[in-house]
Amino acid sequence: VTDEEVQAKYDESAEQYGEQFEIFLASQGQTEESFKQNIRWGLFQEKAMEEVEVSDKEIEAYYNQGKYELNARHILVETEEEAKAIIEELKNGADFAEIAKEKSVDTGSGAQGGELGWFSVGMMVPEFNDAAYALELKTVSEPVKSDFGYHIIEVKEKREVEGYGTLEEKKEEIREQLKAQKADWATIQEQLLEDAKVEVKDEDLKDAFETHEH
């Protein structure tokens, strides 16, 4: 993103607000410099989205999920070992809700017996989303890893989204949604770090990039 592009966008805003522009900036808690930084960021994301490619297969997969809403519950724990042990308990007849209340580190849903209520595609983190939509009703998942820990998921109900539309009708809308997801800064940053093959030699900084690891 060039300085000229940023300045052009800045000038557009200044012209739009006229004499009230400084008041507008102040009301937003912005300075000229911070406002330009926001413009630069917005332009960067626009350009990132232009480069993103989305296949018809990805669109169809999203559509097939998006047609439905799920009513699910989960138990979230910190380790895979703990998740596997809980799954064994559930297979042996333990009560899902009671274990969620006792052991889930998701305090919000845990207090409700793990209940998440109804949700649609894209509302949960990708790993959880894909695992939940792939599950048969009233079956317990294997441990599902996300940045939050390990999820044990059960989908209780599934219903069609009323008036969702056909694949052809939804195709371009879904394409833009998927492009926005792929152009997310956190996703781009992870890819940049992966491509760069960063090696940390300082022992004190060895975990500096661990939040970007899958």
Side-chain angles (χ1 to χ4, degrees):
V1 176
T2 67
D3 291 343
E4 289 76 17
E5 289 172 309
V6 173
Q7 188 64 48
K9 283 283 188 183
Y10 181 88
D11 292 342
E12 280 181 27
S13 295
E15 184 177 346
Q16 177 186 347
Y17 286 96
E19 295 179 357
Q20 301 297 311
F21 186 51
E22 288 188 11
I23 296 174
F24 165 74
L25 288 178
S27 71
Q28 300 297 310
Q30 299 271 11
T31 64
E32 177 180 334
E33 187 55 38
S34 67
F35 191 66
K36 284 183 177 180
Q37 282 295 91
N38 287 345
I39 291 172
R40 187 179 299 277
W41 182 255
L43 289 171
F44 164 77
Q45 290 181 308
E46 284 179 22
K47 291 193 175 191
M49 282 187 65
E50 288 173 6
E51 296 179 6
V52 169
E53 294 183 2
V54 176
S55 69
D56 287 345
K57 187 176 179 179
E58 289 175 301
I59 292 171
E60 186 172 357
Y62 188 98
Y63 175 82
N64 287 335
Q65 291 182 353
K67 288 192 296 186
Y68 301 98
E69 293 175 320
L70 306 181
N71 182 10
R73 57 184 179 176
H74 82 144
I75 300 167
L76 177 65
V77 293
E78 294 180 351
T79 68
E80 186 176 16
E81 291 73 22
E82 189 176 3
K84 287 181 176 179
I86 289 172
I87 290 168
E88 284 303 310
E89 289 183 54
L90 294 170
K91 286 179 179 178
N92 291 324
D95 184 82
F96 194 106
E98 288 304 313
I99 293 180
K101 289 176 183 177
E102 180 185 346
K103 297 183 178 180
S104 182
V105 296
D106 179 1
T107 54
S109 70
Q112 306 301 319
E115 297 290 342
L116 296 167
W118 288 96
F119 60 89
S120 55
V121 65
M123 290 179 65
M124 302 296 183
V125 293
E127 301 91 345
F128 187 105
N129 179 92
D130 291 346
Y133 272 97
L135 265 182
E136 292 184 19
L137 288 180
K138 299 180 181 178
T139 60
V140 175
S141 73
E142 291 300 311
V144 177
K145 187 178 186 302
S146 78
D147 288 341
F148 298 102
Y150 290 84
H151 306 263
I152 302 154
I153 307 167
E154 181 187 22
V155 177
K156 297 160 56 179
E157 299 175 89
K158 182 178 183 178
R159 67 188 180 196
E160 287 193 33
V161 176
E162 191 174 340
Y164 189 66
T166 66
L167 175 59
E168 198 57 39
E169 289 169 340
K170 300 286 289 185
K171 194 169 188 178
E172 290 312 309
E173 178 186 333
I174 292 172
R175 188 188 304 279
E176 292 306 309
Q177 288 173 326
L178 290 174
K179 285 176 72 172
Q181 287 178 14
K182 290 187 174 187
D184 173 71
W185 171 237
T187 304
I188 293 170
Q189 192 174 22
E190 278 194 10
Q191 189 60 53
L192 289 171
L193 286 168
E194 187 177 320
D195 292 345
K197 295 180 171 54
V198 176
E199 180 183 356
V200 181
K201 296 184 178 181
D202 189 321
E203 186 65 23
D204 292 335
L205 300 175
K206 64 183 177 64
D207 297 327
F209 296 105
E210 68 174 6
T211 55
H212 302 295
E213 294 176 358
H214 293 293

